[in-house]
Amino acid sequence: MTELGTGQPERSGDAAGHELDVVCRALTRLVRSFPQPPGEVTVRCGDIAIELRWRDDRAAAELGPSAEPLSLSNGTVSALVLEPTAPVASELEIAGSLPPVAHVIRAPLVGVFYHAPEPGAARYVCPGDLVEQGQQVGIVESMKLMNPIEAETAGRVVDVLVGNGEPVEYGQPLITLVLLSGSACATAFPRAHLEPS
Amino acid sequence: MIEKILIANRGEIALRIARTCRELGITSVAVHSTADRDSAVVRAADESVQIGPPSAQRSYLNMAAIVEAALVSGADAIHPGYGFLSEDPDIAEICADNGLVFIGPEPNVMALLGDKAAARLAMRDAGLPILPGSTTAVDEELAVRLAGDIGYPVIIKAVAGGGGRGMAVVAHPEQFRMAYRSTRSAAATLFGDGRICLERYLRRAHHIEIQLLCDATGNAVHLGERDCSVQRRRQKLLEETPSPVIDPELAERIATAALAGTAAVGYRGLGTFEFLVDGETGDFFFIEANCRIQVEHPVTEMVTGIDLVRAQLAVAAGGQLSLRQEDVQRRGVAVECRINAEDPDRAFLPTPGLIEEFVPPGGPFVRVDTHAVAGMLVSPNYDPLLAKIITWAPDRDQALDRMDRALGETRVRGAGVCTTTEFLRRVLAHPEFRKGVHTTSLVDERLSSPTDS
């Protein structure tokens, strides 16, 4: 596991190690540049990708557009998932207990978001509903094809952010869930691991 | 009447299109991947729609996402730029089906000219000279026999290829089969179409292309030739107009042939017909047609004073060409250099990374088309073109001196980021190039380093 800011690369070959070093330094600069630090960081190394997530919706709202997870590039390479450690948490000044862990369901494609299977039918979900992992929560229609939107995780619906029949872009937040206690830790704090590419 | 255009591209050309839209009062919509969220065109356009993750397949090549974005944003037209879907007849068809204007020729014309073998056949039938070679796709056995008839060296080309990719030059018969097979699989990967054609290869040629502008009623003009002989492995590095090598009378004959070609296929819009002029005999041959705006279009703009994107838009929605051939006046010499994020010392290896300093050149008669800024991440997902620098002067020597001055003041710095700036200055300084007697072999034979093979 690599701590933020130390820039000590995992040795997985010189080139990969050098790349990870560069990435960690860039990451440190990035994290320091935000008023509210991210709660979750994913780093992929090889074709370079840095993903930062702000778990607190209020904090995300303050940041505006930059609060969306920043994916700087993509690549099918080794994933090194960073686990927030206690020193990091205090450095980032998360006071008191962590806020309820929220999950954002995002549009996987461009199109029009619908709340119900068809006009006049009951909505898939309303705020307050409990949903199971894989449960359909909406539709994004694109080029006459209805694409089901499913909850990636179980939870309770907090808010439906897009109106029925409104256009959405790729990655746009659609529905927020609060994760149920017990599942929170496993989902929000994945164990650090190295996946082979 | 086009009032809103969706720009289905990225980087410098997307910004280029957005700028002309701004000047014309046309609302622009930029589509972008997550990697281009903060890009120049997103800032310059009136609206933006994020259409996918960084991968080009899932964003800039994603037809459904692009057309859907056009429909939800209420765009009238889609401008495809160059590369990506600009020569894909399928998206042109989908646009037609959905009441969207696609900036380009009709889908069937695009399909014809986009097929290198079919294009050769059509142009031959229109009376244009073509190099000995196949006029259909050929399987391996037929290709082997045909190559023997044509005589080596031959060039193997992907039928569906473009941008100088999916090609291989074969000097000796024993290398042919391997080259055929590897080109075929590269073509299948790059273009989704493994069909192959071949033609004689001219080792020392001049690449002369004609800029054309046609409307839907058969009016057409040519806007002069561009000399794009400075190429490394068939990737253009530097372009200029007029050509220093061919005399105006030959240029005019080639332009006339190109106009005959557009008439024969019913071409509409902006297009470029490419030719090779044999360095030894002075004969010219049609090689391919490009149904889109080209990277090097600025040099034509600089000598004619015509905004080519503006001209594209004027004829796109069925508008009549108001320009007549006698209205097209060219003045002076324009040169363009492509600045790529590549390392010439490591066989032009692309060098993506974070740009920390970016200072483009300026001054008299210097134009810079770029999306790059300090703080921008050069993505490994897309082509490495960072900027185009264009200079104009009343004569070629001045234009080249000016280009050298401009390249000298260009500063691009970032950890691990290299550029081709210094390599281009070596091209400018090469005596053959300076004298204007160079051929397409200049870079590959005269300027390549030991590692660059």
Side-chain angles (χ1 to χ4, degrees), chain A residues 15-21 23 43-49 77-80:
Chain A
H18 172 69
E19 269 183 353
L20 182 53
D21 187 39
V23 165
V43 174
R44 292 178 184 81
C45 192
D47 272 344
I48 314 173
V77 295
S78 306
L80 173 67

Side-chain angles (χ1 to χ4, degrees), chain B residues 33-50:
Chain B
S33 69
T34 53
D36 286 328
R37 186 198 312 262
D38 295 320
S39 65
V41 67
V42 172
R43 290 194 296 275
D46 296 301
E47 302 171 22
S48 68
V49 181
Q50 182 163 281

Side-chain angles (χ1 to χ4, degrees), chain A residues 17-72:
Chain A
H18 172 69
E19 269 183 353
L20 182 53
D21 187 39
V22 169
V23 165
C24 286
R25 282 192 264 114
L27 177 59
T28 308
R29 280 197 300 273
L30 264 175
V31 167
R32 285 190 185 134
S33 72
F34 296 116
Q36 277 268 9
E40 193 182 327
V41 172
T42 306
V43 174
R44 292 178 184 81
C45 192
D47 272 344
I48 314 173
I50 299 176
E51 214 169 318
L52 303 119
R53 289 183 184 274
W54 282 260
R55 228 170 288 113
D56 182 2
D57 279 354
R58 275 179 287 112
E62 278 164 17
L63 286 161
S66 63
E68 308 300 348
L70 292 171
S71 295
L72 298 182

Side-chain angles (χ1 to χ4, degrees), chain B residues 192-276:
Chain B
D193 182 344
R195 289 178 303 146
I196 296 295
C197 59
L198 67 155
E199 61 191 40
R200 171 174 294 162
Y201 180 67
L202 296 181
R203 239 191 225 107
R204 284 185 185 86
H206 307 290
H207 176 114
I208 304 294
E209 59 187 40
I210 306 292
Q211 180 66 68
L212 300 147
L213 178 62
C214 316
D215 68 20
T217 64
N219 298 312
V221 296
H222 76 83
L223 300 173
E225 85 284 0
R226 291 186 289 257
D227 188 314
C228 309
S229 303
V230 180
Q231 300 176 13
R232 179 187 167 266
R233 302 193 184 178
R234 286 155 303 284
Q235 297 292 304
K236 296 168 184 170
L237 304 183
L238 180 159
E239 308 93 1
E240 59 181 305
T241 185
S243 169
V245 136
I246 63 171
D247 61 59
E249 185 268 336
L250 175 57
E252 194 57 40
R253 278 198 289 131
I254 298 174
T256 302
L259 284 167
T262 58
V265 298
Y267 194 87
R268 178 197 68 208
L270 202 67
T272 297
F273 276 42
E274 300 190 339
F275 298 82
L276 288 181

Side-chain angles (χ1 to χ4, degrees), chain A residues 69 110-111 141-143 169-170, chain B residues 37 49-53 67-68:
Chain A
V110 185
E141 182 245 324
S142 172
M143 302 300 288
E169 55 180 15
Y170 172 83
Chain B
R37 186 198 312 262
V49 181
Q50 182 163 281
I51 56 170
V67 177
E68 180 67 20

Side-chain angles (χ1 to χ4, degrees), chain B residues 257-401:
Chain B
L259 284 167
T262 58
V265 298
Y267 194 87
R268 178 197 68 208
L270 202 67
T272 297
F273 276 42
E274 300 190 339
F275 298 82
L276 288 181
V277 175
D278 188 326
E280 278 147 46
T281 65
D283 295 327
F284 70 91
F285 305 93
F286 167 84
I287 49 169
E288 66 180 71
N290 295 323
C291 306
R292 52 178 164 76
I293 193 162
Q294 306 241 130
V295 175
E296 59 269 25
H297 74 276
V299 298
T300 299
E301 294 186 322
M302 297 291 267
V303 300
T304 60
I306 297 171
D307 177 333
L308 292 179
V309 173
R310 190 179 185 120
Q312 262 186 315
L313 300 183
V315 299
Q320 274 235 353
L321 197 58
S322 56
L323 204 59
R324 296 161 309 160
Q325 193 62 59
E326 53 267 33
D327 298 328
V328 180
Q329 301 289 335
R330 296 196 294 157
R331 191 167 153 251
V333 175
V335 182
E336 171 183 279
C337 280
R338 301 189 190 190
I339 312 300
N340 288 332
E342 290 169 335
D343 187 353
D345 295 333
R346 282 180 288 164
F348 290 77
L349 180 74
T351 56
L354 186 68
I355 295 179
E356 289 166 41
E357 184 188 19
F358 184 81
V359 182
F365 308 107
V366 175
R367 166 177 166 176
V368 182
D369 281 22
T370 185
H371 59 297
V373 286
M376 181 183 94
L377 190 73
V378 180
S379 168
N381 290 93
Y382 314 120
D383 73 74
L385 179 64
L386 273 185
K388 292 159 14 186
I389 297 172
I390 303 104
T391 59
W392 180 93
D395 62 65
R396 188 172 185 260
D397 276 335
Q398 263 194 68
L400 297 179
D401 289 341

